[in-house]
Each structure stands twice: as structure tokens, then as C-alpha cells.
Amino acid sequence: MTTEDKKNIHSIFWRGFTVMGEMTYVRMQGPGFGWTMMPLLRKLYKNDDDYYAALTRHMQYFNTNPVFLPFLQGIVYSMEKQNAEKPVDNIEESVQGLKVGLMGPLAGLGDSFFTGTWRVITTGIALGLATQGNVLGPILFLLLFHLPYYFVRYYGGVLGYKVGANYISEAQESGLLTSITKGCSMLGLIMIGAMSFLNVPLKFTVNTKFGGVPFKLQDTLDGILKGIVPLLIIWLMIWLLRKKKVSTTALLIGVIVISAVLGGLGIMI
């Protein structure tokens, strides 16, 4: 790793702290991811068209636990550097495939360990001292939680760059990158499907009888495909956004109104 590469990794590390302040409901951390990569992309692509094309592909939807953000940015920086030196076929598909495929599992790992486990453990240790009036309580929490947190953040960027720099070129030539991209894309779709099922908990409450036989609409739909209603609603939203160019605000208002009506009538919960 050259001195210039180290400076760029430092830039990724420090600019990455703003990613949570640049979130939107449509692209989540996408705008922040693009902003953190701007100086690096400008160095790599002197041509304005190439620069704006690269910046556009890094402003797309993205969301992961911040602790692993530099790791993904290091990989992306390495891929963009390879592309700037020797253009890679389907660079946009490759970059997006890796980002989408890795952001979900890394988000789960970061949320479960750092947010759900390590933070709780360090807080418990610190509270034991703090409740006794010991000033070491908050200090100990800051040290125990933040030292490994920032260690993983910083060296994650270094590791991501080294992994990318060493293997991306060979993977492209051997065809492995295409397989990785497809696999990551499939994993990303699986994660999106799981998130849709877990975060869109819609159920029909329609219970009636046909020919004396009890009929429950939700049980019938679950027999066809578990979570089919949330999945269809997600597809409908995507279709309206992309094909019909319906605004996000209009969709949000429509969902709220329809949900209130169906819930009020007791058709759906």
C-alpha cells in the first residue's frame, strides 16, 4: 500500500463518520456513501463524464452498520482504482452487486455484536461502577466499547482495500468476479425479501364460511407463499416509483390512508 493509498484510507475513515447524517428514506446511506467517496473518485477519474458516472453509482441505495462501512468502501475504492487504470466490463453491475450482497450480512453482524451484545456488556460493567459514584464507570464504557469499535472501522478500510487490490483484477480475468457478483446479488435479493417479510407485517382478518367450511383468507395466502402480501406490496411500490414516476411522498400518504381505511373496517391488521 502506497502513501497515497494510506491517505485515501484515512479520508474514507474520517468522512465515513458523517454517513448517518446524510440518510434519506429513499436511498438510506447512499448519499453519504457517495459523499465519502467524492475526493477519491475525483483523483481516479480526471474526465468529468467518468467521474460523475462513478459518483452516480455510489449514490444508490445503501445501508449497513457504520462499523463495517470503511471495509466496503475500501473494496469499492480498490475496484474503482482498477477500473480507472484498466476499464472493467460491467463495473457498475460488479460494484453494486458486491455492495448490495455484503451490506446486509455485515449490517446483521454489526447490529448483533456491537449494538446488541458488546454495547450491552460494556454498559453493564460501567453501570456497576457508576451507581457506586465511581467516575471510572463512564470512562471505562468509552474505552471498552469504542476502542474495538474504531479499531474495526479503521482497519476494516485497510483490509477492504488490500482484499480488493489483491484479488479483484485476478477475479475479473478468471471470471470469478462475475460469479461473485451474481452470488452477492442473489444474497442481496434474499435479504431484501426477508426484510420485506419482517418489516411489512400485514395480515388479513377476513374469516367466513363457504358451504359450511371455515375460510380464513390469511391462512390460504400463507399456504400459497408465506409473506406474499408484503412481497406484492413491495413490488407494487417499486413499479409505481420506477414505471409511473409516482413521488415517494404520494406513496407514503397513500399507504397511510389505505392502511387506516382497511384497519378501520377490520379487513386487515
Side-chain angles (χ1 to χ4, degrees):
M1 182 183 293
T2 65
T3 302
E4 182 66 21
D5 290 330
K6 290 181 179 178
K7 289 174 59 178
N8 292 333
I9 296 300
H10 291 162
S11 174
I12 288 174
F13 175 75
W14 290 112
R15 291 173 73 92
F17 286 107
T18 68
V19 72
M20 298 300 290
E22 298 159 319
M23 293 183 65
T24 70
Y25 285 112
V26 178
R27 299 186 181 184
M28 299 302 286
Q29 297 171 353
F33 192 101
W35 185 84
T36 60
M37 298 296 296
M38 284 177 65
L40 279 63
L41 296 176
R42 183 77 274 185
K43 292 179 182 179
L44 295 175
Y45 299 105
K46 305 302 181 183
N47 181 281
D48 284 348
D49 291 339
D50 293 337
Y51 167 68
Y52 288 120
L55 185 58
T56 298
R57 61 176 165 261
H58 292 302
M59 296 285 285
Q60 303 304 314
Y61 179 90
F62 179 82
N63 194 38
T64 195
N65 189 285
V67 72
F68 291 115
L69 175 68
F71 174 71
L72 288 171
Q73 290 175 316
I75 294 178
V76 168
Y77 168 51
S78 178
M79 294 180 69
E80 293 290 358
K81 185 177 180 180
Q82 293 280 349
N83 184 63
E85 295 172 353
K86 181 181 179 182
V88 177
D89 295 336
N90 301 321
I91 181 62
E92 182 172 353
E93 180 182 349
S94 299
V95 169
Q96 284 300 104
L98 284 172
K99 286 170 61 179
V100 172
L102 292 176
M103 70 181 186
L106 291 178
L109 179 60
D111 290 345
S112 61
F113 179 74
F114 280 99
T115 305
T117 304
W118 187 239
R119 185 176 64 172
V120 175
I121 293 173
T122 54
T123 300
I125 295 173
L127 283 175
L129 294 173
T131 54
Q132 298 174 9
N134 194 327
V135 72
L136 290 178
I139 297 175
L140 189 61
F141 168 76
L142 292 175
L143 292 175
L144 288 177
F145 179 77
H146 287 91
L147 284 178
Y149 181 86
Y150 290 116
F151 178 86
V152 172
R153 281 197 71 140
Y154 180 78
Y155 285 101
V158 175
L159 177 62
Y161 175 76
K162 289 183 177 180
V163 167
N166 290 334
Y167 298 112
I168 294 299
S169 180
E170 296 179 8
Q172 174 66 23
E173 294 176 359
S174 66
L176 178 61
L177 184 59
T178 301
S179 300
I180 294 174
T181 300
K182 289 182 178 179
C184 289
S185 298
M186 292 173 63
L187 179 60
L189 290 173
I190 292 172
M191 294 299 298
I192 291 173
M195 290 175 62
S196 300
F197 175 73
L198 293 174
N199 294 299
V200 189
L202 297 178
K203 293 184 178 180
F204 285 102
T205 58
V206 178
N207 296 325
T208 184
K209 289 185 178 182
F210 289 110
V213 178
F215 173 79
K216 294 184 178 180
L217 178 58
Q218 187 61 49
D219 290 346
T220 302
L221 293 173
D222 289 341
I224 298 173
L225 177 64
K226 196 76 171 179
I228 188 173
V229 176
L231 180 62
L232 291 175
I233 290 175
I234 295 296
W235 282 351
L236 176 62
M237 296 296 107
I238 294 174
W239 179 74
L240 291 173
L241 280 170
R242 291 186 174 181
K243 300 298 183 180
K244 298 301 181 179
K245 306 300 181 183
V246 179
S247 69
T248 307
T249 302
L251 288 178
L252 288 173
I253 294 174
V255 168
I256 293 172
V257 172
I258 294 173
S259 298
V261 172
L262 293 178
L265 295 174
I267 297 175
M268 182 179 287
I269 58 173

